Amino acid sequence: MKQISKCPVCGSTSFKPFLTCKDYTVSQENFNLVSCDKCCFKFTNPIPDLEDLSKYYKSEDYISHSNTNKGIISKAYKFVRNYTLKAKLKLIQKHVSRGTVLDYGCGTGMFLKVCQDNGWKAYGMEPDDGARKLGTEMGLNVFSDKERVNTYTNNQKFDVITLWHVLEHVTDLDETLTFFRERLNKGGALVIAVPNYTSFDAQHYKEFWAAYDVPRHLYHFEISTIQKLLSKYGFSLSETRPMKFDSFYVSMLSEKYMTGKINYVKAFLTGLKSNLKAKTANDYSSVIYVFKAA
């Protein structure tokens, strides 16, 4: 296991325990979350060694890396995904009408395909071999790492860089955010979607909240800490958008983790209550943040 000695946001070396959560997807192991004493950033600590981390993704239940239709949760996820893909495209076109897009951690390439079909020059980065193969089989430009993206694109800059539930997984955080700063065109948009641990459903389910997703989720965000982190790399927050469907999907998984089975009515009502209690976009189960170069 690798111990994190400094807060990724502020550099403080003083942390206190926050929660202990179980990996219900793969290993059934317990992992600790800590809170920075200085800036209150929450992160998983310690984390598996990098050479071991990939084994925690080896499950058909990890839907973004497969196209499985097994189970009602997978089917619900894919049904909603088809709707939200169009909303994501509409969002980036609000900031940049057309151009080049890099989807960082693109999974099987579904969002890339929508962009490409709508006239964007689309590229993806995806380290998972199986997911990347599914993307390339659709005729998409998907590469395994930043270096290959640079080589293939001849170090070109992008008009939009997107991360849909990816930033919380990134092991080389400083290197990756520096890459975004260097590769985003002036006037471009950096679009980041992450879970929000201050939402009602997170507070309701506590250590059973599925979006903690240890140890795959290394960091746990809310608006103040993600703003502090991105400001270090020259980005300022332009707007936030809620991901309203996430509370329902996360509540279904959380019910399963908490009780051993899914009470669909209860999960739906918890997800609905989470959305109704949200007063701004920043209060929802998951939030999309649009950053611009400061």
Side-chain angles (χ1 to χ4, degrees), residues 180-203:
F180 296 156
R181 181 183 65 205
E182 294 173 346
R183 291 289 171 264
L184 189 65
N185 269 326
K186 184 177 181 180
L190 175 62
V191 182
I192 299 172
V194 287
N196 171 31
Y197 73 84
T198 67
S199 64
F200 171 81
D201 51 296
Q203 303 303 306

Side-chain angles (χ1 to χ4, degrees), residues 41-44 47 53 57 62 64 104 163-173 176-177 180 192-196 209-221 226 229 243 246 285-287 289:
F41 184 53
K42 312 293 191 287
F43 53 102
T44 306
I47 62 172
L53 196 55
Y57 288 85
Y62 202 69
S64 68
Y104 195 87
L163 296 89
W164 305 109
H165 286 295
V166 170
L167 189 65
E168 61 268 36
H169 298 263
V170 171
T171 56
D172 54 343
L173 192 60
T176 299
L177 292 173
F180 296 156
I192 299 172
V194 287
N196 171 31
W209 190 51
Y212 284 126
D213 198 23
V214 292
R216 291 159 295 277
H217 288 190
L218 308 177
Y219 321 110
H220 312 283
F221 293 103
I226 198 168
L229 176 63
M243 301 187 81
D246 279 29
S285 184
S286 291
V287 181
Y289 301 92

Side-chain angles (χ1 to χ4, degrees), residues 62-237:
Y62 202 69
I63 302 169
S64 68
H65 283 178
S66 72
N67 278 329
T68 181
N69 276 315
K70 291 183 179 179
I72 191 168
I73 292 179
S74 295
K75 290 176 181 177
Y77 173 91
K78 293 184 76 173
F79 175 80
V80 171
R81 181 178 65 184
N82 292 334
Y83 171 83
T84 59
L85 285 171
K86 295 177 182 177
K88 291 174 180 178
L89 178 66
K90 185 177 180 181
L91 173 61
I92 69 168
Q93 288 181 329
K94 173 186 173 183
H95 292 272
V96 180
S97 60
R98 201 66 53 86
T100 54
V101 58
L102 172 67
D103 190 19
Y104 195 87
C106 64
T108 59
M110 300 303 293
F111 177 65
L112 272 189
K113 184 74 169 72
V114 169
C115 291
Q116 186 168 282
D117 289 347
N118 283 271
W120 285 75
K121 195 169 185 179
Y123 303 92
M125 196 291 295
E126 175 52 57
D128 183 80
D129 293 338
R132 190 171 63 254
K133 184 173 183 289
L134 291 172
T136 56
E137 286 174 352
M138 289 192 292
L140 301 170
N141 298 311
V142 183
F143 306 100
S144 61
D145 52 49
K146 292 184 287 293
E147 290 70 28
R148 285 179 172 81
V149 171
N150 286 339
T151 299
Y152 185 85
T153 62
N154 202 21
N155 291 319
Q156 78 167 62
K157 293 192 174 185
F158 302 96
D159 297 305
V160 176
I161 298 175
T162 59
L163 296 89
W164 305 109
H165 286 295
V166 170
L167 189 65
E168 61 268 36
H169 298 263
V170 171
T171 56
D172 54 343
L173 192 60
D174 177 68
E175 181 183 317
T176 299
L177 292 173
T178 300
F179 171 81
F180 296 156
R181 181 183 65 205
E182 294 173 346
R183 291 289 171 264
L184 189 65
N185 269 326
K186 184 177 181 180
L190 175 62
V191 182
I192 299 172
V194 287
N196 171 31
Y197 73 84
T198 67
S199 64
F200 171 81
D201 51 296
Q203 303 303 306
H204 175 77
Y205 289 112
K206 298 182 173 62
E207 69 269 24
F208 300 103
W209 190 51
Y212 284 126
D213 198 23
V214 292
R216 291 159 295 277
H217 288 190
L218 308 177
Y219 321 110
H220 312 283
F221 293 103
E222 45 80 34
I223 187 169
S224 67
T225 51
I226 198 168
Q227 280 186 287
K228 289 175 185 175
L229 176 63
L230 270 292
S231 68
K232 290 169 54 178
Y233 298 87
F235 293 102
S236 60
L237 186 61

